[in-house]
Amino acid sequence: MSTAEQSNLAAAKDPAIAARVVTNIEQLEHDYRLADGYLSDWLIRMITLSLKAAAPEPFVIENTAWSAYVSHPDWKPTKRIGRGDAWLEIVEFARDEQDHTWLAAAVGAAGTELNLELCFRDGLSGYFGKLESDQGLASKLRKKGFKIDAANKRVYLPIVIKPDLLAKALPSDDNFDEAMAPVREATELGIAAKPEIDALLKLVRG
């Protein structure tokens, strides 16, 4: 049994928690469907628009089935299909091994967080070892705002959206600028670190 499963089982055996869930089950079901469905979909759409607003040409914002990422022609070999060799992707990272909504990740609630993560294609998965061997480059990335998570082998920019601003913005397409400021700021930091990303990509490509 995983740590998350053990935690959930312990909570389910707590009479006060069980009573609270049963008493509020109708509202919980309704709210969860909204949080995991329409509201998270809206959030990702606003995040994507914010990425586009912060990324000048020749940077390009691409969509996946569930998220979005920042790409650049220098990171995409002309003969290779797909995302390329490297990109900056909006990801949800759960530190508690649980499944979470994009809304929870955006505000850093319930053990999860939203990041703009530096990603490499599978064939270049040794990038983290290359980075660890070049502490000068790692230091430069940190100065540009990146966090380097050695335990999980991740390089990312944290994004924390203020809950009160997000609550005011939802679900309008017109009032999200203030709430999405952390997304734009992370995008600008990622773009400013292109020389360092290029240097790391050169190390990895060999």
Side-chain angles (χ1 to χ4, degrees), residues 177-194:
D177 281 354
E178 188 176 5
M180 292 294 110
V183 177
R184 296 192 301 274
E185 290 167 3
T187 307
E188 290 165 358
L189 288 173
I191 288 171
K194 183 179 180 295

Side-chain angles (χ1 to χ4, degrees), residues 7-146:
S7 177
N8 290 340
L9 180 59
K13 289 182 176 180
D14 186 316
I17 294 176
R20 186 185 69 216
V21 171
V22 172
T23 301
N24 297 287
I25 189 61
E26 183 173 357
Q27 190 65 50
L28 287 171
E29 285 278 338
H30 181 261
D31 288 350
Y32 179 77
R33 282 194 292 271
L34 288 178
D36 192 48
Y38 289 114
L39 296 181
S40 282
D41 290 345
W42 177 91
L43 175 64
I44 290 298
R45 188 170 70 253
M46 295 304 103
I47 286 174
T48 302
L49 290 175
S50 298
L51 291 174
K52 291 179 178 178
E57 294 183 355
F59 288 93
V60 178
I61 306 304
E62 305 280 1
N63 294 95
T64 69
W66 57 88
S67 185
Y69 63 93
V70 183
S71 182
H72 189 280
D74 291 345
W75 303 341
K76 297 183 72 171
T78 56
K79 294 182 179 180
R80 187 179 300 279
I81 62 173
R83 300 187 187 186
D85 285 347
W87 60 92
L88 292 162
E89 183 170 357
I90 292 290
V91 302
E92 181 258 329
F93 182 73
R95 297 192 177 277
D96 60 1
E97 302 177 353
Q98 303 274 14
D99 292 329
H100 297 281
T101 66
W102 281 110
L103 281 181
V107 300
T112 187
E113 61 189 57
L114 190 68
N115 302 151
L116 184 63
E117 184 171 337
L118 176 58
C119 301
F120 288 79
R121 64 177 174 85
D122 290 343
L124 300 178
S125 58
Y127 79 92
F128 200 85
K130 294 288 188 180
L131 181 59
E132 286 186 312
S133 67
D134 191 333
Q135 286 303 304
L137 181 55
S139 178
K140 289 179 180 179
L141 281 168
R142 289 191 181 96
K143 287 180 180 178
K144 292 289 180 73
F146 280 85

